[in-house]
mmCIF file of all heavy atoms in Angstrom:
data_model
loop_
_atom_site.group_PDB
_atom_site.id
_atom_site.type_symbol
_atom_site.label_atom_id
_atom_site.label_comp_id
_atom_site.label_asym_id
_atom_site.label_seq_id
_atom_site.Cartn_x
_atom_site.Cartn_y
_atom_site.Cartn_z
ATOM 1 N N LYS D 392 3.430 -19.404 45.156
ATOM 2 C CA LYS D 392 3.207 -19.322 43.679
ATOM 3 C C LYS D 392 4.101 -20.326 42.996
ATOM 4 O O LYS D 392 3.672 -20.865 41.895
ATOM 5 C CB LYS D 392 3.527 -17.984 43.165
ATOM 6 C CG LYS D 392 2.688 -16.799 43.656
ATOM 7 C CD LYS D 392 1.486 -16.648 42.829
ATOM 8 C CE LYS D 392 0.700 -15.412 43.244
ATOM 9 N NZ LYS D 392 0.172 -15.425 44.556
ATOM 10 N N LYS D 393 5.226 -20.654 43.556
ATOM 11 C CA LYS D 393 6.119 -21.555 42.815
ATOM 12 C C LYS D 393 5.464 -22.987 42.719
ATOM 13 O O LYS D 393 5.624 -23.650 41.667
ATOM 14 C CB LYS D 393 7.443 -21.711 43.526
ATOM 15 C CG LYS D 393 7.332 -22.255 44.972
ATOM 16 C CD LYS D 393 8.810 -22.506 45.423
ATOM 17 C CE LYS D 393 9.237 -23.949 45.088
ATOM 18 N NZ LYS D 393 10.434 -24.451 45.949
ATOM 19 N N ARG D 403 8.482 -21.042 37.294
ATOM 20 C CA ARG D 403 8.179 -19.965 38.275
ATOM 21 C C ARG D 403 8.246 -18.576 37.718
ATOM 22 O O ARG D 403 7.365 -17.764 37.960
ATOM 23 C CB ARG D 403 9.217 -20.162 39.344
ATOM 24 C CG ARG D 403 9.087 -19.402 40.550
ATOM 25 C CD ARG D 403 10.251 -19.719 41.534
ATOM 26 N NE ARG D 403 11.540 -19.290 40.981
ATOM 27 C CZ ARG D 403 11.892 -18.058 40.806
ATOM 28 N NH1 ARG D 403 11.118 -17.078 41.243
ATOM 29 N NH2 ARG D 403 13.140 -17.698 40.385
ATOM 30 N N GLU D 404 9.305 -18.371 36.879
ATOM 31 C CA GLU D 404 9.562 -17.012 36.388
ATOM 32 C C GLU D 404 8.445 -16.668 35.386
ATOM 33 O O GLU D 404 7.928 -15.482 35.377
ATOM 34 C CB GLU D 404 10.850 -17.012 35.682
ATOM 35 C CG GLU D 404 12.077 -17.082 36.599
ATOM 36 C CD GLU D 404 12.531 -18.519 36.781
ATOM 37 O OE1 GLU D 404 11.734 -19.431 36.590
ATOM 38 O OE2 GLU D 404 13.739 -18.748 37.113
ATOM 39 N N ARG D 408 5.783 -13.527 35.495
ATOM 40 C CA ARG D 408 5.612 -12.490 34.553
ATOM 41 C C ARG D 408 4.145 -12.337 34.022
ATOM 42 O O ARG D 408 3.672 -11.218 33.654
ATOM 43 C CB ARG D 408 6.581 -12.800 33.312
ATOM 44 C CG ARG D 408 8.005 -12.399 33.702
ATOM 45 C CD ARG D 408 9.052 -12.827 32.717
ATOM 46 N NE ARG D 408 10.379 -12.327 33.229
ATOM 47 C CZ ARG D 408 11.431 -13.230 33.346
ATOM 48 N NH1 ARG D 408 11.216 -14.487 33.086
ATOM 49 N NH2 ARG D 408 12.472 -12.807 33.943
ATOM 50 N N TYR D 410 1.314 -12.642 35.592
ATOM 51 C CA TYR D 410 0.370 -11.801 36.233
ATOM 52 C C TYR D 410 0.866 -10.343 36.507
ATOM 53 O O TYR D 410 0.187 -9.505 36.821
ATOM 54 C CB TYR D 410 -0.251 -12.475 37.438
ATOM 55 C CG TYR D 410 0.822 -13.052 38.453
ATOM 56 C CD1 TYR D 410 1.470 -12.195 39.272
ATOM 57 C CD2 TYR D 410 1.008 -14.368 38.592
ATOM 58 C CE1 TYR D 410 2.381 -12.716 40.315
ATOM 59 C CE2 TYR D 410 1.879 -14.902 39.527
ATOM 60 C CZ TYR D 410 2.579 -14.062 40.281
ATOM 61 O OH TYR D 410 3.474 -14.604 41.154
ATOM 62 P P DC G 206 9.604 -22.191 49.372
ATOM 63 O OP1 DC G 206 8.324 -22.971 49.682
ATOM 64 O OP2 DC G 206 10.566 -22.796 48.323
ATOM 65 O "O5'" DC G 206 9.223 -20.730 48.979
ATOM 66 C "C5'" DC G 206 8.472 -19.955 49.824
ATOM 67 C "C4'" DC G 206 8.353 -18.686 49.259
ATOM 68 O "O4'" DC G 206 9.569 -17.901 49.343
ATOM 69 C "C3'" DC G 206 7.864 -18.585 47.741
ATOM 70 O "O3'" DC G 206 6.735 -17.740 47.685
ATOM 71 C "C2'" DC G 206 9.165 -17.993 47.086
ATOM 72 C "C1'" DC G 206 9.775 -17.225 48.233
ATOM 73 N N1 DC G 206 11.257 -17.008 47.975
ATOM 74 C C2 DC G 206 11.751 -15.644 47.998
ATOM 75 O O2 DC G 206 10.928 -14.657 48.085
ATOM 76 N N3 DC G 206 13.058 -15.418 47.850
ATOM 77 C C4 DC G 206 13.834 -16.457 47.757
ATOM 78 N N4 DC G 206 15.145 -16.177 47.631
ATOM 79 C C5 DC G 206 13.408 -17.766 47.753
ATOM 80 C C6 DC G 206 12.119 -18.061 47.910
ATOM 81 P P DT G 207 5.984 -17.535 46.379
ATOM 82 O OP1 DT G 207 4.680 -17.085 46.615
ATOM 83 O OP2 DT G 207 6.287 -18.732 45.378
ATOM 84 O "O5'" DT G 207 6.751 -16.250 45.817
ATOM 85 C "C5'" DT G 207 6.570 -15.004 46.424
ATOM 86 C "C4'" DT G 207 7.337 -13.888 45.636
ATOM 87 O "O4'" DT G 207 8.683 -14.202 45.784
ATOM 88 C "C3'" DT G 207 7.086 -13.862 44.149
ATOM 89 O "O3'" DT G 207 6.368 -12.682 43.966
ATOM 90 C "C2'" DT G 207 8.443 -13.963 43.448
ATOM 91 C "C1'" DT G 207 9.416 -13.684 44.632
ATOM 92 N N1 DT G 207 10.733 -14.292 44.572
ATOM 93 C C2 DT G 207 11.881 -13.534 44.581
ATOM 94 O O2 DT G 207 11.780 -12.323 44.522
ATOM 95 N N3 DT G 207 13.020 -14.185 44.523
ATOM 96 C C4 DT G 207 13.206 -15.641 44.448
ATOM 97 O O4 DT G 207 14.219 -16.149 44.348
ATOM 98 C C5 DT G 207 12.021 -16.403 44.476
ATOM 99 C C7 DT G 207 12.036 -17.932 44.343
ATOM 100 C C6 DT G 207 10.781 -15.748 44.505
ATOM 101 P P DG G 208 5.837 -12.240 42.561
ATOM 102 O OP1 DG G 208 4.644 -11.500 42.643
ATOM 103 O OP2 DG G 208 5.827 -13.586 41.681
ATOM 104 O "O5'" DG G 208 7.012 -11.377 41.907
ATOM 105 C "C5'" DG G 208 7.287 -10.063 42.519
ATOM 106 C "C4'" DG G 208 8.452 -9.489 41.927
ATOM 107 O "O4'" DG G 208 9.621 -10.334 42.061
ATOM 108 C "C3'" DG G 208 8.275 -9.245 40.366
ATOM 109 O "O3'" DG G 208 8.661 -7.933 40.158
ATOM 110 C "C2'" DG G 208 9.170 -10.248 39.788
ATOM 111 C "C1'" DG G 208 10.357 -10.388 40.866
ATOM 112 N N9 DG G 208 11.066 -11.639 40.839
ATOM 113 C C8 DG G 208 10.526 -12.996 40.879
ATOM 114 N N7 DG G 208 11.404 -13.825 40.949
ATOM 115 C C5 DG G 208 12.598 -13.196 41.057
ATOM 116 C C6 DG G 208 14.000 -13.677 41.061
ATOM 117 O O6 DG G 208 14.308 -14.819 41.095
ATOM 118 N N1 DG G 208 14.860 -12.625 41.020
ATOM 119 C C2 DG G 208 14.584 -11.276 40.953
ATOM 120 N N2 DG G 208 15.595 -10.436 40.918
ATOM 121 N N3 DG G 208 13.311 -10.805 40.881
ATOM 122 C C4 DG G 208 12.347 -11.871 40.908
ATOM 123 P P DT G 209 8.491 -7.186 38.766
ATOM 124 O OP1 DT G 209 8.199 -5.836 39.045
ATOM 125 O OP2 DT G 209 7.490 -8.063 37.968
ATOM 126 O "O5'" DT G 209 9.912 -7.491 38.052
ATOM 127 C "C5'" DT G 209 10.990 -6.851 38.739
ATOM 128 C "C4'" DT G 209 12.293 -7.203 37.968
ATOM 129 O "O4'" DT G 209 12.764 -8.423 38.299
ATOM 130 C "C3'" DT G 209 12.092 -7.073 36.455
ATOM 131 O "O3'" DT G 209 13.029 -6.225 35.863
ATOM 132 C "C2'" DT G 209 12.227 -8.495 36.031
ATOM 133 C "C1'" DT G 209 13.215 -9.024 37.070
ATOM 134 N N1 DT G 209 13.225 -10.486 37.232
ATOM 135 C C2 DT G 209 14.490 -11.050 37.502
ATOM 136 O O2 DT G 209 15.542 -10.456 37.439
ATOM 137 N N3 DT G 209 14.442 -12.421 37.626
ATOM 138 C C4 DT G 209 13.329 -13.237 37.657
ATOM 139 O O4 DT G 209 13.438 -14.464 37.826
ATOM 140 C C5 DT G 209 12.040 -12.549 37.471
ATOM 141 C C7 DT G 209 10.878 -13.321 37.469
ATOM 142 C C6 DT G 209 12.083 -11.234 37.275
ATOM 143 P P DG G 210 12.800 -5.495 34.489
ATOM 144 O OP1 DG G 210 12.715 -4.084 34.773
ATOM 145 O OP2 DG G 210 11.840 -6.282 33.682
ATOM 146 O "O5'" DG G 210 14.252 -5.784 33.963
ATOM 147 C "C5'" DG G 210 15.469 -5.403 34.588
ATOM 148 C "C4'" DG G 210 16.632 -6.231 34.072
ATOM 149 O "O4'" DG G 210 16.561 -7.595 34.475
ATOM 150 C "C3'" DG G 210 16.600 -6.293 32.561
ATOM 151 O "O3'" DG G 210 18.039 -5.886 32.076
ATOM 152 C "C2'" DG G 210 16.300 -7.716 32.160
ATOM 153 C "C1'" DG G 210 16.769 -8.446 33.378
ATOM 154 N N9 DG G 210 16.045 -9.691 33.672
ATOM 155 C C8 DG G 210 14.679 -9.902 33.710
ATOM 156 N N7 DG G 210 14.293 -11.075 34.009
ATOM 157 C C5 DG G 210 15.458 -11.726 34.108
ATOM 158 C C6 DG G 210 15.721 -13.121 34.308
ATOM 159 O O6 DG G 210 14.870 -14.007 34.620
ATOM 160 N N1 DG G 210 17.054 -13.443 34.410
ATOM 161 C C2 DG G 210 18.091 -12.484 34.233
ATOM 162 N N2 DG G 210 19.343 -12.896 34.277
ATOM 163 N N3 DG G 210 17.937 -11.301 33.945
ATOM 164 C C4 DG G 210 16.561 -10.842 33.923
ATOM 165 P P DA G 211 18.358 -5.797 30.625
ATOM 166 O OP1 DA G 211 19.338 -4.692 30.492
ATOM 167 O OP2 DA G 211 17.183 -5.742 29.818
ATOM 168 O "O5'" DA G 211 19.122 -7.165 30.281
ATOM 169 C "C5'" DA G 211 20.190 -7.516 31.132
ATOM 170 C "C4'" DA G 211 20.765 -8.888 30.532
ATOM 171 O "O4'" DA G 211 20.051 -10.009 30.867
ATOM 172 C "C3'" DA G 211 20.771 -8.840 29.024
ATOM 173 O "O3'" DA G 211 21.999 -9.443 28.560
ATOM 174 C "C2'" DA G 211 19.585 -9.642 28.635
ATOM 175 C "C1'" DA G 211 19.515 -10.662 29.705
ATOM 176 N N9 DA G 211 18.144 -11.221 30.030
ATOM 177 C C8 DA G 211 16.950 -10.547 29.948
ATOM 178 N N7 DA G 211 15.905 -11.214 30.274
ATOM 179 C C5 DA G 211 16.497 -12.455 30.620
ATOM 180 C C6 DA G 211 15.900 -13.669 31.089
ATOM 181 N N6 DA G 211 14.616 -13.833 31.256
ATOM 182 N N1 DA G 211 16.764 -14.729 31.418
ATOM 183 C C2 DA G 211 18.066 -14.491 31.181
ATOM 184 N N3 DA G 211 18.760 -13.474 30.751
ATOM 185 C C4 DA G 211 17.870 -12.396 30.465
#
Side-chain angles (χ1 to χ4, degrees):
Chain D
K392 298 271 191 293
K393 60 172 273 196
R403 183 182 68 71
E404 294 92 334
R408 287 176 180 119
Y410 53 75

